[in-house]
Short mmCIF file of all heavy atoms in Angstrom, two decimals:
data_model
loop_
_atom_site.label_atom_id
_atom_site.label_comp_id
_atom_site.label_asym_id
_atom_site.label_seq_id
_atom_site.Cartn_x
_atom_site.Cartn_y
_atom_site.Cartn_z
N ARG A 121 -22.46 12.86 10.04
CA ARG A 121 -22.31 13.37 11.41
C ARG A 121 -22.87 12.37 12.39
O ARG A 121 -23.92 12.57 12.99
CB ARG A 121 -22.98 14.71 11.50
CG ARG A 121 -22.22 15.68 10.64
CD ARG A 121 -22.46 17.06 11.01
NE ARG A 121 -21.21 17.78 10.93
CZ ARG A 121 -21.14 19.09 10.93
NH1 ARG A 121 -22.22 19.80 11.05
NH2 ARG A 121 -19.98 19.67 10.84
N ILE A 122 -22.14 11.28 12.52
CA ILE A 122 -22.53 10.23 13.46
C ILE A 122 -21.41 10.11 14.49
O ILE A 122 -20.27 10.50 14.19
CB ILE A 122 -22.76 8.89 12.73
CG1 ILE A 122 -21.55 8.57 11.82
CG2 ILE A 122 -24.05 8.92 11.92
CD1 ILE A 122 -21.65 7.24 11.10
N GLN A 126 -16.96 11.14 14.45
CA GLN A 126 -16.58 12.47 14.94
C GLN A 126 -15.08 12.76 14.79
O GLN A 126 -14.71 13.87 14.43
CB GLN A 126 -16.97 12.61 16.41
CG GLN A 126 -18.29 13.34 16.56
CD GLN A 126 -18.75 13.45 18.00
OE1 GLN A 126 -18.03 13.12 18.93
NE2 GLN A 126 -19.96 13.91 18.17
N ASP A 129 -14.12 14.02 11.31
CA ASP A 129 -14.93 15.12 10.78
C ASP A 129 -14.06 16.34 10.46
O ASP A 129 -13.73 17.14 11.35
CB ASP A 129 -16.00 15.47 11.81
CG ASP A 129 -17.05 16.41 11.26
OD1 ASP A 129 -16.69 17.26 10.43
OD2 ASP A 129 -18.21 16.30 11.66
N SER A 132 -15.57 19.93 11.17
CA SER A 132 -15.50 20.37 12.58
C SER A 132 -14.09 20.82 12.94
O SER A 132 -13.91 21.87 13.55
CB SER A 132 -15.91 19.24 13.52
OG SER A 132 -17.27 19.00 13.40
N GLY A 173 -24.82 32.49 14.07
CA GLY A 173 -24.53 31.14 13.60
C GLY A 173 -23.70 30.44 14.66
O GLY A 173 -22.54 30.81 14.88
N VAL A 174 -24.30 29.49 15.39
CA VAL A 174 -23.61 28.88 16.52
C VAL A 174 -23.40 27.38 16.25
O VAL A 174 -23.92 26.53 16.95
CB VAL A 174 -24.37 29.15 17.84
CG1 VAL A 174 -23.57 28.67 19.03
CG2 VAL A 174 -24.66 30.64 17.98
N GLY A 175 -22.68 27.07 15.18
CA GLY A 175 -22.22 25.71 14.93
C GLY A 175 -20.85 25.57 15.59
O GLY A 175 -20.58 26.20 16.62
N VAL A 176 -20.00 24.77 14.99
CA VAL A 176 -18.68 24.53 15.56
C VAL A 176 -17.87 25.84 15.60
O VAL A 176 -17.28 26.19 16.62
CB VAL A 176 -17.95 23.44 14.75
CG1 VAL A 176 -16.56 23.21 15.32
CG2 VAL A 176 -18.76 22.15 14.75
N ASP A 196 -28.93 31.81 16.50
CA ASP A 196 -28.93 30.73 15.52
C ASP A 196 -30.40 30.43 15.19
O ASP A 196 -31.30 30.94 15.86
CB ASP A 196 -28.22 29.48 16.08
CG ASP A 196 -27.75 28.53 14.98
OD1 ASP A 196 -28.61 27.93 14.30
OD2 ASP A 196 -26.54 28.40 14.77
N VAL A 197 -30.60 29.61 14.18
CA VAL A 197 -31.97 29.19 13.85
C VAL A 197 -32.33 27.88 14.53
O VAL A 197 -33.50 27.51 14.61
CB VAL A 197 -32.16 29.03 12.32
CG1 VAL A 197 -32.07 30.39 11.64
CG2 VAL A 197 -31.13 28.09 11.72
N ARG A 198 -31.33 27.15 15.03
CA ARG A 198 -31.58 25.85 15.67
C ARG A 198 -31.71 26.07 17.18
O ARG A 198 -30.81 26.62 17.82
CB ARG A 198 -30.42 24.89 15.37
CG ARG A 198 -30.33 24.52 13.89
CD ARG A 198 -29.19 23.54 13.60
NE ARG A 198 -27.90 24.07 13.94
CZ ARG A 198 -27.12 23.60 14.91
NH1 ARG A 198 -27.49 22.58 15.65
NH2 ARG A 198 -25.94 24.16 15.15
N GLU A 224 -31.58 20.01 17.21
CA GLU A 224 -30.30 20.14 16.48
C GLU A 224 -30.49 20.46 15.01
O GLU A 224 -29.60 20.96 14.35
CB GLU A 224 -29.54 18.80 16.58
CG GLU A 224 -28.78 18.59 17.87
CD GLU A 224 -27.50 19.41 17.93
OE1 GLU A 224 -27.15 20.07 16.96
OE2 GLU A 224 -26.86 19.39 18.99
N GLY A 227 -29.18 16.23 11.18
CA GLY A 227 -27.73 15.98 11.18
C GLY A 227 -26.95 17.18 11.71
O GLY A 227 -25.77 17.32 11.45
N GLY A 228 -27.60 18.05 12.48
CA GLY A 228 -26.91 19.24 13.00
C GLY A 228 -26.91 20.39 12.01
O GLY A 228 -26.34 21.43 12.27
N TYR A 229 -27.56 20.20 10.87
CA TYR A 229 -27.52 21.23 9.82
C TYR A 229 -28.81 22.05 9.76
O TYR A 229 -29.90 21.54 10.02
CB TYR A 229 -27.31 20.59 8.45
CG TYR A 229 -25.89 20.10 8.25
CD1 TYR A 229 -25.64 18.76 7.98
CD2 TYR A 229 -24.83 20.98 8.32
CE1 TYR A 229 -24.34 18.31 7.79
CE2 TYR A 229 -23.53 20.54 8.13
CZ TYR A 229 -23.29 19.21 7.86
OH TYR A 229 -22.01 18.78 7.68
N ALA A 230 -28.66 23.31 9.35
CA ALA A 230 -29.82 24.19 9.15
C ALA A 230 -30.31 24.05 7.71
O ALA A 230 -29.63 23.51 6.85
CB ALA A 230 -29.39 25.63 9.42
N GLN A 241 -36.26 37.66 11.70
CA GLN A 241 -34.84 37.66 12.04
C GLN A 241 -34.20 39.01 11.70
O GLN A 241 -33.40 39.56 12.47
CB GLN A 241 -34.11 36.52 11.31
CG GLN A 241 -32.68 36.33 11.78
CD GLN A 241 -31.94 35.24 11.01
OE1 GLN A 241 -32.14 35.08 9.81
NE2 GLN A 241 -31.10 34.50 11.71
N THR A 258 -21.16 33.24 10.93
CA THR A 258 -20.64 31.91 10.57
C THR A 258 -21.72 31.05 9.91
O THR A 258 -21.55 29.84 9.77
CB THR A 258 -20.17 31.14 11.83
OG1 THR A 258 -21.33 30.60 12.50
CG2 THR A 258 -19.43 32.01 12.81
N ALA A 259 -22.87 31.66 9.52
CA ALA A 259 -24.02 30.84 9.11
C ALA A 259 -23.84 30.19 7.74
O ALA A 259 -23.52 30.85 6.76
CB ALA A 259 -25.29 31.69 9.11
N LEU A 260 -24.06 28.87 7.71
CA LEU A 260 -23.95 28.12 6.45
C LEU A 260 -25.14 27.17 6.31
O LEU A 260 -25.70 26.71 7.30
CB LEU A 260 -22.67 27.30 6.44
CG LEU A 260 -21.35 28.06 6.33
CD1 LEU A 260 -20.18 27.09 6.43
CD2 LEU A 260 -21.28 28.84 5.02
N ILE A 261 -25.50 26.89 5.07
CA ILE A 261 -26.51 25.88 4.76
C ILE A 261 -25.85 24.95 3.74
O ILE A 261 -25.41 25.41 2.68
CB ILE A 261 -27.78 26.53 4.16
CG1 ILE A 261 -28.38 27.51 5.17
CG2 ILE A 261 -28.79 25.46 3.77
CD1 ILE A 261 -29.46 28.41 4.60
N PRO A 267 -26.69 32.11 3.87
CA PRO A 267 -27.81 33.02 4.01
C PRO A 267 -27.34 34.46 4.30
O PRO A 267 -26.34 34.65 5.00
CB PRO A 267 -28.58 32.47 5.21
CG PRO A 267 -27.58 31.69 6.00
CD PRO A 267 -26.58 31.16 5.00
N LEU A 269 -27.44 37.65 6.26
CA LEU A 269 -27.92 37.96 7.61
C LEU A 269 -27.79 39.44 7.96
O LEU A 269 -28.48 39.92 8.85
CB LEU A 269 -27.15 37.14 8.65
CG LEU A 269 -27.23 35.62 8.54
CD1 LEU A 269 -26.43 34.97 9.66
CD2 LEU A 269 -28.68 35.15 8.61
P1 LIG B 401 -22.63 24.88 9.62
O1 LIG B 401 -21.20 25.28 9.38
O2 LIG B 401 -23.33 24.14 8.56
O3 LIG B 401 -23.47 26.20 9.96
C1 LIG B 401 -23.06 27.10 10.97
C2 LIG B 401 -24.23 27.52 11.82
O4 LIG B 401 -25.04 28.46 11.08
C3 LIG B 401 -25.19 26.38 12.21
O5 LIG B 401 -25.30 26.36 13.63
C4 LIG B 401 -26.51 26.77 11.55
O6 LIG B 401 -27.63 26.37 12.30
C5 LIG B 401 -26.38 28.27 11.47
N1 LIG B 401 -27.29 28.94 10.55
C6 LIG B 401 -27.69 28.55 9.29
N2 LIG B 401 -28.55 29.44 8.76
C7 LIG B 401 -28.70 30.44 9.70
C8 LIG B 401 -29.46 31.64 9.74
N3 LIG B 401 -30.24 32.01 8.73
N4 LIG B 401 -29.38 32.42 10.86
C9 LIG B 401 -28.60 32.05 11.91
N5 LIG B 401 -27.85 30.93 11.91
C10 LIG B 401 -27.89 30.13 10.83
O7 LIG B 401 -22.73 24.06 11.00
P2 LIG B 401 -21.61 23.22 11.73
O8 LIG B 401 -20.73 24.11 12.49
O9 LIG B 401 -20.97 22.35 10.73
O10 LIG B 401 -22.37 22.30 12.81
C11 LIG B 401 -23.72 22.32 13.08
C12 LIG B 401 -24.05 21.29 14.18
O11 LIG B 401 -23.65 19.97 13.88
C13 LIG B 401 -23.47 21.61 15.53
O12 LIG B 401 -24.52 21.61 16.47
C14 LIG B 401 -22.54 20.49 15.83
O13 LIG B 401 -22.51 20.17 17.21
C15 LIG B 401 -23.12 19.36 15.04
N6 LIG B 401 -22.03 18.43 14.67
C16 LIG B 401 -22.17 17.09 14.94
C17 LIG B 401 -21.14 16.21 14.62
C18 LIG B 401 -21.22 14.73 14.89
O14 LIG B 401 -22.08 14.30 15.62
N7 LIG B 401 -20.34 13.93 14.30
C19 LIG B 401 -20.00 16.67 13.97
C20 LIG B 401 -19.91 18.04 13.70
C21 LIG B 401 -20.94 18.90 14.06
#
Side-chain angles (χ1 to χ4, degrees):
R121 294 201 140 165
I122 50 177
Q126 262 177 8
D129 191 327
S132 290
V174 187
V176 178
D196 201 292
V197 292
R198 294 181 299 113
E224 279 284 355
Y229 286 121
Q241 188 182 36
T258 79
L260 291 176
I261 300 168
L269 300 181

